[in-house]
């Protein structure tokens, strides 16, 4: 009774193969009762070719995404720069208008403008 081992699998070779994550060294043999598929050399070549083509397409898309992300970053920086420039120009215009009318330029604190004394 001491030497009795209980296996839940009919073929321990299959279980060993599954536990080792189907490493390359385990692909080269057929374990008993394992399901296999036979394909022709032409089908195999087509399969390998389609996998290689798919990998190339994926790599090209990844590179395209990286290039677009870099372009997006540059455009965001340019947009921020242009917004700051626009803000400065608006302030200069408001200041010039205030000088032309003999008034003080509006004070901007948090986007609110204060009214003058009401004299015109």
């Amino acid at each position: 009774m001491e030497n009795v081992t209980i296996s839940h699998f009919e073929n321990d070779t299959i279980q060993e193969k599954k536990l080792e994550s189907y490493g390359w060294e385990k692909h080269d043999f057929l374990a008993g009762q394992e399901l296999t598929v036979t394909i022709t050399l032409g089908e195999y070549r087509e399969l390998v070719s389609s996998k290689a083509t798919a990998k190339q397409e994926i790599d090209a898309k990844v590179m395209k995404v990286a290039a677009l992300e870099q372009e997006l970053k540059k455009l965001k920086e340019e947009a921020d720069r242009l917004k700051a420039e626009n803000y400065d120009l608006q302030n200069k215009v408001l200041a010039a208008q205030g000088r032309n009318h003999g008034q003080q330029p509006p004070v901007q604190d948090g986007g609110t403008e204060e009214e003058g004394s009401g004299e015109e």
Side-chain angles (χ1 to χ4, degrees):
M1 273 308 227
E2 295 172 8
N3 293 335
V4 175
T5 58
I6 299 174
S7 175
H8 296 287
F9 299 96
E10 293 181 40
N11 190 334
D12 288 334
T13 308
I14 295 173
Q15 179 62 21
E16 288 174 13
K17 190 173 177 181
K18 288 181 180 179
L19 290 175
E20 293 186 20
S21 301
Y22 287 96
W24 286 106
E25 65 278 354
K26 297 291 184 178
H27 280 293
D28 297 336
F29 73 95
L30 174 64
Q33 297 183 1
E34 188 174 23
L35 180 63
T36 61
V37 176
T38 304
I39 62 172
T40 65
L41 182 58
E43 291 170 332
Y44 176 76
R45 287 178 178 158
E46 184 180 337
L47 178 65
V48 170
S49 174
S50 66
K51 182 175 180 178
T53 303
K55 180 163 177 27
Q56 289 175 347
E57 289 174 359
I58 289 170
D59 291 343
K61 301 274 187 205
V62 167
M63 292 184 71
K64 184 176 180 180
V65 166
L68 289 172
E69 285 175 345
Q70 287 178 349
E71 184 179 351
L72 178 63
K73 183 179 177 183
K74 288 179 185 176
L75 292 173
K76 282 183 178 180
E77 290 171 357
E78 183 179 358
D80 290 340
R81 182 185 60 78
L82 291 173
K83 285 178 186 177
E85 185 180 335
N86 186 29
Y87 177 76
D88 291 341
L89 291 174
Q90 285 178 346
N91 284 339
K92 288 179 183 178
V93 167
L94 289 173
Q97 287 176 348
R99 280 194 304 264
N100 289 342
H101 296 315
Q103 300 173 354
Q104 294 291 332
V107 178
Q108 294 190 4
D109 57 341
T112 60
E113 295 183 11
E114 295 180 10
E115 293 293 327
S117 62
E119 296 177 2
E120 294 203 37

